[in-house]
Every structure is written in C-alpha cells, then in structure tokens.
C-alpha cells in the first residue's frame, strides 16, 4: 500500500512548470532572433541584417523543497533521498521547463520594420501547493506498523509538451530627437504533443496500521480518505501515466500571442541623425537608457480527444484490498466512486509579464534589470505558470563576443548566480552555474546552448561625409545635400550663391543681395541698399541723400552758420552786416558833440542821457560794426591835464554804452587831449567846438 501511495505521489510530483529560458543571453543586443522570446519588438532596429538560428536549447528547474551542492553529486556517491537538504512545508512548489528554439530567422523589411519566422518546441511542468511534509515522510519510507496521516488540502499538477510555429513583426513607432519607440507582435500556431494534469481538493488520508480485523485474529491496516481527485490527459497518455511518448496529438491545436514595446532614450541623437533617412547607424546601440515591456504566451491548446476523470475518494478501505490493485487507475475505479468523465480542460499557456531596463555605461558595458511575473494563478487546473524572477545582469557586449553574469532572485529557490557568453555563432550559459558550483544548497538549475548564423549590420560607407551613404549618393565623392541627391548645388555665375538661391543665376552678384549685383540707381556712389534716398543723388556722409538748404540762401545747412536765416556765401550763410555810411557816421558825431560833462570832470551830465540813448540805438542797428569813442579838449590848461581829461571822458561814454547793452568788444576808448582841434583855440567859439566826443567807425 505504502509503495503505491508513494509511487502515485512521485508520478504526480514529477509533473512540475514552465519557467524562464536563456537567462542572461536574452539581455544581449546581439541575441538576434532569439530575442523575440523576451520581446517581439526587439527584432527591428537591431544590429543584424539577418540572423539565422540553427538550434538552441534551454532547460530550467527550480523548487522550494530540495537543495543540494552540485560538487557533491559529481564527486561522491550521492543519495538524493538522504544527502540533499529538504525544506518541507504545507505548500511546496516545483517549476521546470525545456525550451528548444529550432530553425528560425529574422530579416529587415525596411529600415524601420522587420520580420521573423521561428519554430520552437517546449515542455513545461509544475506542481503547485503540494504538502512537502507528506512528501517528505513518504519519500523517506515508514514502518508498516506506523500510522500515517496525509493532509494535502488542495494541490495542482500540470505537464505539457507542445510545438510552435510563429511569425513576428516589429515596427519603429516613433523616432523623434531623443525619443525612440518600437513595438512588435508574435502570432503562434500551437501543436499539442502531450498533456497531463491532476488536482486534489481537500484531500486527507488516514492510514491506521491496525485498523481492520481479519479471520484468524489478525488485523490489517485501514485507509480512511476524504476529498476529490481530478485528473486529465491527452489521448497519447494512458490513465496510469506509464506509457507516454511525445508526439503530435490529433485535434490538439491552438493559437498564442506575444506582444511588446521598447522605448529608448537617446540623448546623443544628433550624432546618429541620417540626413537621407536611411537609418545609417543600425550597426550601433544608440541609447543611454532602454525600457522594454512585454506579455508572452497569451493563449491555450485545446486537446479535443483528451479525457478528464473525477473521483470522490471519501471511503474507508483495508490495506489488503488496496495492495491487490495493479495500478492507480484500478485503485480509483475499483475502490472509489467515479463522479464524472468529461472532456479535458484547455491547456493554458504560461502567460507572463516581462519588464526590462537596460543602462549603457558606454558602448561596451551595460547593466540590465529584468523582471518576469506570472499572470497565471497557481490554483487553476491544467495551467503552466512561471515563477516570479528578478535578474540583475552586468554584461560586456560587442559584435562578435559578449559575456554576462546574471544574479537572480527566483520565487521559492532564492538567489542564483550564473554566467554565459556569446562568441560569434555560439552561445552557451546558465543562470545558476556559479551557485551550483559554490553553494551547498542550490534549489535551481538551468543551462542553455545554441548555434546560429549571424549577419551583422555593417558600418555604412559615406566617402564625402555628407550623411548620405554611397549607394544612395549621386555624387559619392562630393559633399552635397540630400535635396540634390548628395550632389553640390551648381553656381553658374560663380558668385558663391547656389543657383537654387540665386535670383540672378547668370550674373555674378553679392551673397547679401541673393546673388544679384548691387545697384546705385541715382549714381551717387552710394548703393541702393545703403541709400536712404536711392532716387536722388546725395552724399555718402548723408546716407546717399542731398544736403538740405533750409533758408534757401545757397549755403548748405552743414556749412551755413545761420541755417534758418538767408545770408551770403561770403558770410557763411549769414546776412551781411549793414554798412555804416558817412551820413550815419556824421549823425553819430553830431550826437556825440552834444554830450555834456561837468566842468573839468569826466562825469556826464544828466541832460545828455537822451543823446546817449539815441547813439546806442544807432549802434544797435550795426551789431557787427566796431567803434572808437574818442575824447578831445581845448588848449586851456596844461597839455598833460587835457590828455588825461580826454581819456577819462571817452571811457565814461564807453562805459555808459556798455552798461546799456552794447557789446564791450565793439567799443574802444581813446583820448587825444588838445592835439586834434577842429577850430581855433584863440576864440571862445573855437574852444567850445574843440571840447567834444566823437564816435568813429573802426574800418
């Protein structure tokens, strides 16, 4: 009985779930067609002209129940039952997969779109929520005379093998300055190759070693059980799960979808701009930071000919009856109640969400953070799921060689450290190899390897450096713009203004005048572009305009000292001063002779003020004329006295006139004493005439 129970649980326990593939390798920008596994958008704007995968295989296993050291397994007589470390708990989980990427290839449809066709074979298995304590006690064996209680509650077990034929299309969605976005989708035709699943609900098994009396006074064990057992399988597997071959199963088909997007931040986008739009820098990684998001394995496979059986195992049977049955199918059919026979449940693909961040330290070294998160419940029948995994991968990357060392945290199995490399057509690695070699408690293991034919993007040739690759350049040896197919614009008149911009292409001109000669319409040697009066000859000093003559006196304002008053050329544009005539001179002296002084003094008598005012009025009529005020005396007295008196009286008149507003620069004073008589000093009348003041024009 115990052997049968253990065998049954081990068979179910061997059906473990889909997990990650090619850990580390898929972070490489040179993973090529393999990269569509992680995100279908990866295949466009890649480093490849085409990439052909010949074959690649990856296998993965992880659990939270069993741990070991790989070195012990290799170097000693290792017993899995006794030498490994076990961590039983009420709900243990097992995950595993095998993933074979068969012939696959990708190629570019245009510089911004790509297509891939791939084939893939996969096996996924998982056990969810199995009671590890029960598994532990059964696998270690127990005494026939010992009682045993199995409390399994709910448990889910699934295994599936299937093949995929798929096509992937990816397209650049945005390429604007530093922002770059691409998206992709994979459509997959699925062919089932075998499927089995089982589940138990509220299962308890109570084995009582002495529970049933037999004739002759002997006793045998009794098995009291409660719960429901449900299992289903494709028609290439029998009810005992003993005869199973991976093969194409008739009527087992389905469809799957992967979708994804990649955003790249390209702060140095100007360095990668192609003037001809040819995306000439596809041989280079252009991002500083990259974000990728994808959902994989949306879909299911319908095994139309498969069956599902459900049994109520609520019963008590004795141990002998249990042991007399040949296999699990007979036990269930003969000792328990079958409640239904139905069509098999659809197998649900291990749908998962993937988020990836890649940071470029430089064009060789990168840091990558990747998260895989299952979107499938662990409490659903016939469903594969991935364990949640977070990986940090530093890597060295170049066209022909890459090396990476992923460090991962995997649900249930803890931290893993791996290594891998790509060398031209070969890729090989493991996400857990370092942990397996160094740790004595590894709970996960994986390995992958493959062979491909990569055809890398080459550096575009642009001999003249005009940003247009030679194959698209009509003048590959002459620098020219894209608008003229890479050829320089012609300059027919040789004035350094290209014909396309030259408004006078047949006549040499100036760059600043759109290729046309500069014009001087009024012939004043000031070009029209600088001439404020282009239709009137003028002076360069006056910006090509004629000088004005405001008062119209023939003297230009710039030379006219009286620009608002008509004058003469000889007088610099100012009016000529009025001429002092003999009549005016006589009138002045007639007035001057009547100026009276106090006797023997230079002070002017008050009654002479009106005469001086008249003199002043005459002087003001000739503002530019200069006059001499001359004093004279008679011969009475000493000559010296007379000289001094004449000078004083001339100064008195001069000072009076200046005080009343005559410019001092116009007047001088001089005394002649008795030297210039105009009558005889012998007579009274003659002496009176000689006592006088004259005001004479300075000529």
């Amino acid at each position: 009985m115990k052997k049968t129970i253990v065998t049954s649980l081990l068979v179910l326990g061997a059906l473990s779930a889909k997990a990650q593939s090619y850990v580390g390798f898929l972070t490489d920008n040179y993973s090529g067609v393999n990269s569509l596994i992680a995100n279908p958008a990866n295949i466009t704007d890649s480093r490849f002209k085409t990439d052909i995968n010949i074959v690649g295989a990856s296998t993965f296993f992880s659990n939270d129940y069993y741990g070991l050291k790989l070195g012990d397994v290799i170097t000693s007589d290792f017993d899995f039952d006794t030498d490994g470390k076990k961590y039983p708990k009420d709900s243990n989980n097992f995950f595993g997969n095998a993933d074979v990427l068969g012939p696959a290839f990708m190629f570019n449809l245009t510089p911004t779109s790509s297509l891939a066709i791939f084939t893939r074979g996969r096996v996924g298995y998982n056990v969810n929520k199995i009671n590890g304590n029960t598994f532990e006690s059964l696998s270690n064996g127990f005494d026939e005379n010992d009682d045993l209680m199995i409390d399994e509650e709910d448990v889910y077990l699934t295994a599936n093998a299937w093949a995929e034929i798929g096509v992937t299309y990816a397209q650049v969605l945005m390429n604007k300055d530093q922002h770059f976005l691409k998206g992709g989708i994979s459509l997959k035709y699925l062919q089932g190759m075998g499927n089995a699943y089982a589940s138990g609900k509220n299962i308890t098994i109570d084995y009582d070693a002495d529970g049933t009396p037999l004739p002759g006074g002997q006793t045998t064990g009794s098995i009291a059980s409660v719960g429901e057992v449900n299992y289903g399988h494709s028609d290439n597997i029998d009810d005992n799960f003993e005869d199973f071959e991976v093969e194409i199963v008739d009527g087992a088909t389905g469809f799957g979808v992967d979708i994804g997007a990649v955003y790249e931040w390209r702060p140095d986008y100007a360095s990668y701009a192609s003037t001809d739009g040819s995306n000439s820098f596809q041989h280079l990684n252009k991002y500083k930071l990259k974000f990728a998001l994808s959902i994989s394995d949306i879909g299911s496979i319908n095994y139309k000919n498969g069956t599902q059986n459900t049994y109520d195992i609520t019963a008590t049977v004795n141990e002998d009856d249990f042991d007399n049955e040949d296999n699990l199918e007979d036990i269930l059919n003969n000792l328990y109640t079958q409640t239904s026979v139905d069509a098999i449940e659809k197998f649900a693909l291990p749908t998962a969400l993937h988020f990836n961040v890649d940071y470029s330290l430089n064009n060789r070294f990168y840091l990558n953070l990747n998260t895989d998160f299952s979107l499938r419940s662990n409490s659903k029948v016939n469903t594969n799921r991935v364990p949640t995994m977070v990986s940090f991968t530093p890597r060295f990357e170049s066209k022909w060689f890459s090396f990476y060392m992923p460090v991962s945290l995997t649900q249930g199995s803890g931290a893993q450290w791996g290594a891998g490399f790509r060398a031209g057509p070969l890729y090989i690695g493991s996400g857990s190899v370092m942990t397996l070699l160094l740790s004595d408690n590894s709970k996960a293991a994986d390995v992958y390897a493959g062979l491909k034919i990569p055809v890398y993007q080459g550096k575009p040739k642009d001999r003249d450096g005009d940003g247009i690759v030679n194959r698209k350049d009509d003048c590959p040896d002459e620098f020219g713009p894209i608008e003229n197919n890479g050829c320089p614009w012609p300059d027919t008149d040789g004035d350094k203004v290209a014909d396309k911009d030259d408004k006078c292409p047949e006549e040499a001109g100036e760059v600043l005048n759109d290729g046309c000669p500069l014009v001087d319409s009024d012939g004043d040697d000031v070009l029209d572009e600088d001439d404020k009066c282009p239709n009137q000859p003028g002076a360069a000093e006056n910006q090509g305009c004629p000088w004005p003559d405001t008062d119209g006196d023939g003297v230009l304002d710039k030379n006219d000292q009286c620009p608002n008053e008509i004058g003469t050329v000889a007088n610099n544009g100012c009016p000529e001063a009025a001429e002092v005539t003999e009549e005016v001179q006589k009138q002045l002296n007639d007035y001057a002779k009547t100026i009276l002084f106090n006797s023997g003094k230079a002070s002017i008598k008050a009654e002479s003020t009106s005469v001086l005012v008249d003199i002043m009025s005459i002087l003001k009529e000739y503002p530019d004329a200069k006059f001499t005020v001359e004093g004279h005396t008679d011969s009475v007295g000493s000559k010296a006295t007379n000289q001094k008196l004449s000078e004083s009286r001339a100064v008195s008149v001069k000072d009076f006139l200046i005080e009343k507003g005559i410019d001092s620069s116009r007047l001088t004073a001089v005394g002649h004493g008795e030297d210039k008589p105009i009558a005889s000093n012998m007579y009274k009348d003659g002496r009176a005439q000689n006592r006088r003041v004259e005001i004479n024009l300075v000529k």
Side-chain angles (χ1 to χ4, degrees):
M1 185 275 298
K2 295 179 289 298
K3 178 180 178 182
T4 303
I5 294 176
V6 172
T7 300
S8 300
L9 289 175
L10 288 176
V11 168
L12 295 176
L15 309 177
S16 344
K18 162 73 179 77
Q20 286 77 353
S21 302
Y22 306 98
V23 178
F25 174 54
L26 296 184
T27 66
D28 192 348
N29 287 301
Y30 291 92
S31 57
V33 69
N34 299 66
S35 66
L36 63 81
I37 294 174
N39 191 320
N42 284 333
I43 67 170
T44 196
D45 193 62
S46 73
R47 309 293 78 81
F48 295 88
K49 291 182 179 178
T50 186
D51 184 46
I52 302 170
N53 185 75
I54 300 173
V55 65
S58 172
T59 183
F60 180 101
F61 174 79
S62 71
N63 77 110
D64 58 2
Y65 172 78
Y66 195 88
L68 54 76
K69 183 176 182 179
L70 181 62
D72 292 342
V73 177
I74 297 173
T75 60
S76 62
D77 296 330
F78 187 82
D79 188 319
F80 280 88
D81 285 334
T82 60
D83 295 337
K85 295 182 178 180
K86 300 176 182 179
Y87 301 90
K89 54 185 180 181
D90 291 342
S91 179
N92 284 109
N93 298 278
F94 297 79
F95 302 88
N97 84 312
D99 188 348
V100 177
L101 183 65
F105 67 97
M106 56 170 276
F107 59 93
N108 299 315
L109 297 172
T110 69
T112 59
S113 63
S114 302
L115 190 72
I117 298 174
F118 62 92
T119 60
R120 195 175 175 193
R122 300 167 68 179
V123 176
Y125 49 97
N126 64 278
V127 177
N128 296 327
K129 297 186 175 182
I130 191 169
N131 191 316
N133 295 303
T134 300
F135 199 87
E136 167 78 3
S137 61
L138 290 176
S139 62
N140 287 339
F142 58 90
D143 192 284
E144 294 282 348
N145 298 316
D146 292 337
D147 294 340
L148 175 66
M149 172 62 76
I150 298 174
D151 185 4
E152 194 59 48
E153 295 187 358
D154 295 344
V155 62
Y156 300 88
L157 311 100
T158 305
N160 193 62
W162 74 99
E164 300 177 354
I165 298 176
V167 58
T168 300
Y169 176 77
Q171 171 76 48
V172 174
L173 303 176
M174 180 179 67
N175 187 3
K176 184 177 181 181
D177 298 336
Q178 59 187 325
H179 304 296
F180 179 87
L181 179 67
K182 57 185 178 179
I185 184 171
S186 293
L187 302 177
K188 305 183 288 189
Y189 173 78
L190 311 175
Q191 173 61 59
M193 309 291 286
N195 175 228
Y197 65 91
S199 65
K201 292 185 178 180
N202 299 316
I203 294 176
T204 59
I205 300 174
D206 184 5
Y207 170 64
D208 184 355
D210 301 316
T212 303
L214 296 175
Q218 297 178 343
T219 61
T220 185
S222 65
I223 305 167
S225 57
V226 175
E228 180 182 276
V229 172
N230 172 41
Y231 71 90
H233 56 81
S234 55
D235 57 0
N236 62 334
I237 303 174
D238 63 25
D239 286 339
N240 290 300
F241 304 100
E242 294 176 351
D243 185 13
F244 169 53
E245 293 183 4
V246 175
E247 60 185 5
I248 294 176
V249 179
D250 291 338
T253 59
F255 293 93
V257 178
D258 301 340
I259 58 174
V262 175
Y263 167 80
E264 295 181 4
W265 177 54
R266 300 176 172 182
D268 297 327
Y269 68 92
S271 303
Y272 306 116
S274 301
T275 59
D276 63 351
S278 61
N279 203 7
S280 303
F281 294 89
Q282 285 189 303
H283 64 295
L284 297 175
N285 294 329
K286 297 174 279 294
Y287 64 87
K288 186 66 176 178
L289 190 62
K290 177 171 70 174
F291 298 91
L293 184 68
S294 65
I295 300 177
S296 63
D297 291 323
I298 304 169
S300 61
I301 299 174
N302 186 9
Y303 284 86
K304 296 179 181 178
N305 299 321
T307 58
Q308 174 180 277
N309 300 279
T310 304
Y311 294 88
D312 182 359
I313 63 169
T314 303
T316 300
V317 300
N318 67 60
E319 183 177 359
D320 289 344
D321 291 339
F322 195 97
D323 286 341
N324 287 334
E325 301 296 338
D326 291 333
N327 51 51
L328 179 60
E329 181 182 10
D330 290 342
I331 291 173
L332 292 172
N333 285 327
N334 296 331
L335 301 180
Y336 299 102
T337 303
Q338 185 174 24
T339 58
S340 66
V341 178
D342 301 306
I344 192 173
E345 292 278 349
K346 285 184 178 181
F347 165 71
L349 294 180
T351 309
L353 176 70
H354 311 279
F355 179 67
N356 186 281
V357 181
D358 204 46
Y359 179 74
S360 173
L361 296 172
N362 53 46
N363 61 355
R364 287 290 183 267
F365 293 94
Y366 297 80
L367 300 176
N368 185 273
L369 181 67
N370 184 77
T371 300
D372 302 310
F373 181 78
S374 176
L375 298 180
R376 293 293 188 184
S377 169
N378 64 354
S379 301
K380 183 173 175 56
V381 298
N382 206 15
T383 300
N384 275 168
R385 61 187 297 271
V386 302
T388 295
M389 175 185 283
V390 178
S391 301
F392 175 74
T393 305
R395 75 179 186 278
F396 169 83
E397 177 181 295
S398 66
K399 179 187 291 186
W400 291 103
F401 179 78
S402 294
F403 179 76
Y404 14 85
M405 298 192 76
V407 177
S408 306
L409 286 175
T410 305
Q411 180 183 358
S413 57
Q416 308 296 323
W417 180 21
F421 70 90
R422 173 187 55 83
L426 176 67
Y427 54 93
I428 187 170
S430 166
S432 56
V433 62
M434 302 303 292
T435 304
L436 287 167
L437 293 174
L438 301 175
S439 173
D440 59 358
N441 189 26
S442 296
K443 296 180 183 178
D446 74 293
V447 65
Y448 62 84
L451 196 63
K452 60 165 56 189
I453 302 174
V455 181
Y456 301 113
Q457 295 279 2
K459 183 177 181 180
K461 295 180 179 179
D462 178 15
R463 287 197 298 271
D464 56 14
D466 58 6
I468 306 170
V469 295
N470 291 344
R471 60 187 173 83
K472 292 192 174 186
D473 197 332
D474 288 351
C475 302
D477 296 309
E478 293 183 88
F479 191 97
I482 178 62
E483 296 85 355
N484 203 36
N485 296 322
C487 292
W489 293 108
D491 179 13
T492 302
D493 54 16
D495 58 5
K496 297 183 180 180
V497 180
D499 287 359
K500 72 180 186 67
D501 301 317
D502 199 331
K503 292 183 178 179
C504 305
E506 305 293 333
E507 186 179 7
E510 298 294 332
V511 174
L512 296 178
N513 200 36
D514 297 326
C516 291
L518 297 174
V519 177
D520 179 13
S521 300
D522 54 14
D524 59 4
D525 294 329
V526 180
L527 298 175
D528 285 3
E529 65 171 3
D530 300 320
D531 198 332
K532 288 191 174 181
C533 303
N535 297 314
Q536 290 180 280
E541 302 89 329
N542 200 36
Q543 298 178 304
C545 292
W547 291 108
D549 180 11
T550 303
D551 54 13
D553 59 3
V555 181
L556 300 177
D557 287 1
K558 72 183 184 71
N559 300 319
D560 197 332
Q561 294 182 5
C562 303
N564 297 310
E565 187 178 4
I566 297 175
T568 64
V569 173
N571 200 36
N572 297 322
C574 291
E576 293 284 353
E579 183 177 355
V580 180
T581 64
E582 290 184 1
E583 289 78 6
V584 172
Q585 178 69 69
K586 181 177 182 302
Q587 185 178 14
L588 279 174
N589 284 326
D590 287 344
Y591 282 135
K593 290 177 182 178
T594 63
I595 298 172
L596 301 177
F597 299 92
N598 291 312
S599 180
K601 297 182 179 179
S603 57
I604 301 171
K605 288 186 176 182
E607 57 265 31
S608 296
T609 300
S610 60
V611 174
L612 287 169
V613 170
D614 291 336
I615 292 173
M616 185 173 62
S617 297
I618 295 172
L619 294 181
K620 286 183 177 180
E621 292 179 9
Y622 305 91
D624 295 326
K626 296 182 179 182
F627 296 89
T628 302
V629 180
E630 300 177 1
H632 298 270
T633 64
D634 57 20
S635 60
V636 177
S638 69
K639 186 174 184 177
T641 299
N642 289 333
Q643 178 63 37
K644 184 176 180 180
L645 180 61
S646 67
E647 289 175 358
S648 298
R649 287 179 174 177
V651 170
S652 293
V653 172
K654 171 189 168 186
D655 289 344
F656 180 92
L657 295 174
I658 290 174
E659 183 180 348
K660 298 301 181 180
I662 302 301
D663 190 341
S664 63
S665 64
R666 298 176 58 197
L667 299 176
T668 56
V670 63
H672 295 290
E674 59 187 52
D675 292 339
K676 291 184 178 183
I678 57 173
S680 174
N681 284 309
M682 293 179 64
Y683 303 103
K684 181 178 181 181
D685 289 341
R687 290 193 295 272
Q689 293 179 47
N690 288 334
R691 296 191 296 273
R692 69 190 185 279
V693 172
E694 296 179 358
I695 299 177
N696 296 312
L697 177 68
V698 178
K699 296 182 180 180

